[in-house]
Amino acid sequence: MPTRVLALCGFTQNSYIYSKQLGAVRKTCKDVEFVFLEPPIVVEKADLPWADNNLDQFGSNATTDEAAQTPETTPRAWWTTVNEQKTYKKFDETVAFLHDYLSKNEPFDGIMGFSQGAGMAALLSALLEKPGLHPNFPSEPALPKFKFAIFVGGFLPKAESHDFTPYFPLPASLPTLHVFGRNDTLITIERSQTLVDKCENARMEIHEGGHYTPSKASWRHFFNAYINSFGPDGSNGDVPPVNSFGPSGANTPVNSKGGEATPRPSTPA
């Protein structure tokens, strides 16, 4: 059976946009089933007073122009914010939506989220690890926990409207992979570090770009190796770092003298 990964898109994206952005990764991960979940909230112009209808900064080609929207170009979210982003609107409804979805579509081996989707993935992981945190996510019947979580361009959710303190840290029993761009100006490395610091079993991998999921050959093969390591008799995330994977997927890069370099595993944060 393929490894099933629940995939949560970023703010103003949707399941279609995220699936397209992960197209190259999906083609490499032949034994992985990515399930792209559509966020329940439609983002309206009023939710983006600062964006001038330009959603490129979020890695989204959706539009808030209702007359031009199609299902593929409708911006969505796991929550919206007001009061200088201190209040999370419709978060409680999203929690109920996710519980209902998981109840009907379990199990998933892992979860992968981008940007706001990474923050939601962290909160959802916590809800499964610590049943009863939220009234809309009942502890009975018990739902299977994730074996791993991948957070790309993620951050630690923080709001005055909701106390997320009990959700963290995520326990050492849950391996978490944190991927972020050295030149990401929307979710900086410092902001991503806030989530890393709240995960007891965290591994970081950094790419040289901005706010997106890296998809060069080495990254595609790294994601494939990492995800499949959680299968039967796998290493549970103990795979070589990204720069150990060449275009063929082999983790035997050539060193400057023409010989094979010895891969070394990343040191968990």
Side-chain angles (χ1 to χ4, degrees):
M1 293 181 62
T3 301
R4 297 187 79 214
V5 178
L6 184 63
L8 306 186
C9 67
F11 181 66
T12 74
Q13 294 184 340
N14 54 47
S15 60
Y16 175 81
I17 293 173
Y18 194 31
S19 68
K20 289 296 183 182
Q21 291 182 345
L22 288 187
V25 173
R26 289 190 291 115
K27 289 180 181 178
T28 299
C29 299
K30 300 182 184 301
D31 296 322
V32 179
E33 178 190 1
F34 289 93
V35 179
F36 293 88
L37 183 58
E38 193 81 287
I41 301 169
V42 174
V43 178
E44 302 176 353
K45 284 185 178 181
D47 299 318
L48 299 164
W50 68 91
D52 298 326
N53 203 34
N54 180 7
L55 307 184
D56 290 346
Q57 61 181 307
F58 303 112
S60 174
N61 59 0
T63 178
T64 55
D65 182 355
E66 294 183 9
Q69 283 178 351
T70 66
E72 292 78 17
T73 62
T74 298
R76 292 181 172 272
W78 304 105
W79 65 80
T80 58
T81 62
V82 293
N83 188 26
E84 297 181 340
Q85 301 186 14
K86 297 176 182 177
T87 300
Y88 283 12
K89 291 175 57 181
K90 301 183 180 179
F91 174 77
D92 299 330
E93 291 89 334
T94 291
V95 171
F97 167 80
L98 289 170
H99 183 271
D100 180 69
Y101 180 83
L102 287 179
S103 299
K104 297 174 181 177
N105 295 277
E106 61 162 318
F108 288 93
D109 296 287
I111 189 168
M112 181 172 182
F114 171 69
S115 197
Q116 188 194 70
M120 189 68 248
L123 294 171
L124 182 55
S125 297
L127 288 165
L128 292 172
E129 291 287 340
K130 307 171 184 178
L133 281 173
H134 194 287
N136 291 351
F137 206 95
S139 56
E140 296 295 337
L143 296 174
K145 301 176 183 179
F146 298 127
K147 299 176 184 176
F148 63 91
I150 301 174
F151 307 131
V152 181
F155 57 90
L156 182 69
K158 188 176 181 180
E160 292 183 358
S161 59
H162 295 79
D163 181 13
F164 295 128
T165 305
Y167 288 60
F168 299 98
L170 293 180
S173 57
L174 176 66
T176 60
L177 171 64
H178 303 254
V179 177
F180 32 87
R182 197 178 303 279
N183 294 301
D184 190 337
T185 56
L186 185 66
I187 306 296
T188 63
I189 288 181
E190 291 76 16
R191 191 176 178 194
S192 288
Q193 187 69 42
T194 61
L195 180 56
V196 175
D197 293 342
K198 293 297 183 179
C199 298
E200 294 182 343
N201 187 354
R203 173 178 180 171
M204 295 181 293
E205 294 287 346
I206 302 175
H207 63 88
E208 297 302 318
H211 195 58
Y212 59 80
T213 302
S215 59
K216 290 183 178 180
S218 57
W219 277 96
R220 298 197 305 269
H221 293 299
F222 169 75
F223 282 132
N224 183 50
Y226 183 85
I227 293 171
N228 281 297
S229 74
F230 292 93
D233 301 319
S235 63
N236 293 328
D238 186 13
V239 299
V242 175
N243 60 12
S244 295
F245 291 86
S248 67
N251 59 325
T252 50
V254 177
N255 62 27
S256 59
K257 296 181 180 180
E260 290 185 349
T262 302
R264 59 177 180 81
S266 286
T267 301

